[in-house]
Structures are given as C-alpha cells and as structure tokens.
Amino acid sequence: MTHHSTTQLLVLHAVRLEGFGDFEVIAKRAGTSRNEAIEVLAEAERVGWVQNAAFADLEGWSLTDSGKVENERQLAAERRWADTADVVTAVYREFLPLNARLLRAVTDWQIAPTDTDRFAPNRHTDPEWDARVLAELTALSRELAPLTARLAAVLSRFGDYTPRFDSALAKAREGQTAWIDSSGWDSCHRVWFQLHEDLLATLGIDRRQEP
C-alpha cells in the first residue's frame, strides 16, 4: 500500500526541492493548500528550519542547515516504515544511467557544435538536431515512467514527476524550446533535477559523493 506523507514533511520537502519559493510555489510543489503551507512554514520558521528572504521584488522561503537535517530525518523515518523492500534504492540505481543520458540530451539542446566552435549555442535552426534530442527525451520519458510508478507505489509523493516531465516535453515539441532547460518553471530539466534531488534526499546521499 502506498504511503502518503504528512503535510509537514511535504511542505518542508517542497522548500528543499524548490530551493526558494513563495507560499504559492511551495504549496503547489507540496500538493497542499496555501493555508496549510502558511501554517507549516510559520511553525518551521519558529523552530529555525526555514527562513524568509526578499531579493528585489522576490520574496520566498528556503531551508536552513537545521531544516535540511530535519527534512532528512523525517524522510529517513518515513522510508524505514514505508519502504521495507528498499524499492527506492533499487530504483535509484536504475535511474543513474538515465540521468547521464538526460544530462547529455540537455547539453545537446543547449550546444550545437560547428566546424569552428565546438561550444556554439544551439539556435534551434537545425530541425534534425533538435528532433534527435526530442526523440531521446521521449525515450527517457518512456523509461522513467515505470520507475516513478514503482516509487509512487511506495511513496505517493513520487507520482507526479513523469506527468510533469511529459507536460514540459509536449510544450517543447510545439516549439516552445525553453521548456526543455529553463530553470524558471517546470521544464524537463528542472523536473528531472527535482526527482534526482528527491531520490538523493530520501536515501540520505550527498550529491557530491554520488557514484
């Protein structure tokens, strides 16, 4: 039976996955109401797990060091109870080669070498080049889907990654090229990055020490 995370865990974890976000952003990522996010963040700020900051016209929340520790403690406790068959570890191992392919595909989306510049930016003027990258991203989506389904069967919060990835990919196929690699919204790369971070956090792995 799939496990549904507590609202506190979901909100705190959403702050980690987003890096920085306002109430609406955090609530959307957590799958909670705005009022629930406000309540959890207010209590988390009181105990020092999150901090609010403003930059120019942006204002949002981020985890403190103690908040990251608490987030990982909650994730580990949840996993010990919900993932007795160690599904997350098995899926993570299968995810790693897909991750390497995703990084190559995004690089190819950003860079299209020429005879004179091997780091020339991709201007998206070569339909065959872009079609090859989109075909690889489509193949990755097909391979990702059963992995996230296995994760979601254990921890329900993993269930939205493939739909979000596919939604971004569909927009890219329509010619909206930024939906592949933008960091400002749920692009393919951003969704994939958050899934990767979710797996690392859930397993307590430091990204810098990843195989």
Side-chain angles (χ1 to χ4, degrees):
M1 180 181 295
T2 187
H3 174 75
H4 299 278
S5 304
T6 66
T7 300
Q8 184 189 68
L9 185 152
L10 289 171
V11 171
L12 203 60
H13 197 45
V15 177
R16 176 176 184 150
L17 296 177
E18 289 293 334
F20 180 81
D22 61 20
F23 289 123
E24 285 76 15
V25 168
I26 299 306
K28 182 179 180 180
R29 180 81 284 273
T32 65
S33 70
R34 186 178 188 275
N35 286 342
E36 287 174 320
I38 289 173
E39 182 178 346
V40 172
L41 288 170
E43 176 60 20
E45 183 180 36
R46 187 186 69 79
V47 296
W49 294 343
V50 298
Q51 57 190 359
N52 184 269
F55 306 95
D57 59 342
L58 297 176
E59 182 177 359
W61 300 88
S62 61
L63 282 187
T64 62
D65 289 343
S66 63
K68 182 178 179 181
V69 170
E70 175 60 19
N71 176 233
E72 292 178 354
R73 186 197 68 77
Q74 291 184 14
L75 291 170
E78 176 185 62
R79 182 168 161 258
R80 281 194 299 272
W81 184 87
D83 187 21
T84 55
D86 209 9
V87 171
V88 179
T89 297
V91 168
Y92 170 70
R93 289 171 180 159
E94 295 177 50
F95 171 83
L96 286 175
L98 300 186
N99 188 57
R101 287 169 52 193
L102 183 283
L103 293 177
R104 286 195 299 271
V106 171
T107 298
D108 287 345
W109 190 255
Q110 296 171 333
I111 297 173
T114 67
D115 292 338
T116 57
D117 184 0
R118 63 193 183 99
F119 298 112
N122 182 9
R123 304 295 185 187
H124 303 292
T125 56
D126 183 344
E128 291 186 5
W129 181 276
D130 282 2
R132 179 178 60 80
V133 177
L134 289 170
E136 172 68 346
L137 291 171
T138 300
L140 283 167
S141 174
R142 286 196 298 266
E143 295 178 60
L144 180 67
L147 297 186
T148 56
R150 284 162 58 193
L151 290 169
V154 176
L155 296 165
S156 64
R157 58 187 168 79
F158 280 101
D160 71 343
Y161 284 107
T162 294
R164 289 167 60 211
F165 184 89
D166 288 349
S167 176
L169 184 55
K171 291 180 175 68
R173 288 198 195 97
E174 294 169 355
Q176 301 178 59
T177 57
W179 280 90
I180 295 296
D181 60 351
S182 174
S183 61
W185 54 80
D186 268 4
S187 66
C188 290
H189 186 241
R190 188 167 185 264
V191 172
W192 194 283
F193 179 90
Q194 288 186 352
L195 171 57
H196 190 185
E197 180 67 14
D198 206 341
L199 287 167
L200 292 172
T202 302
L203 293 170
I205 298 172
D206 187 325
R207 186 180 287 266
R208 296 168 297 182
Q209 298 175 350
E210 189 173 46

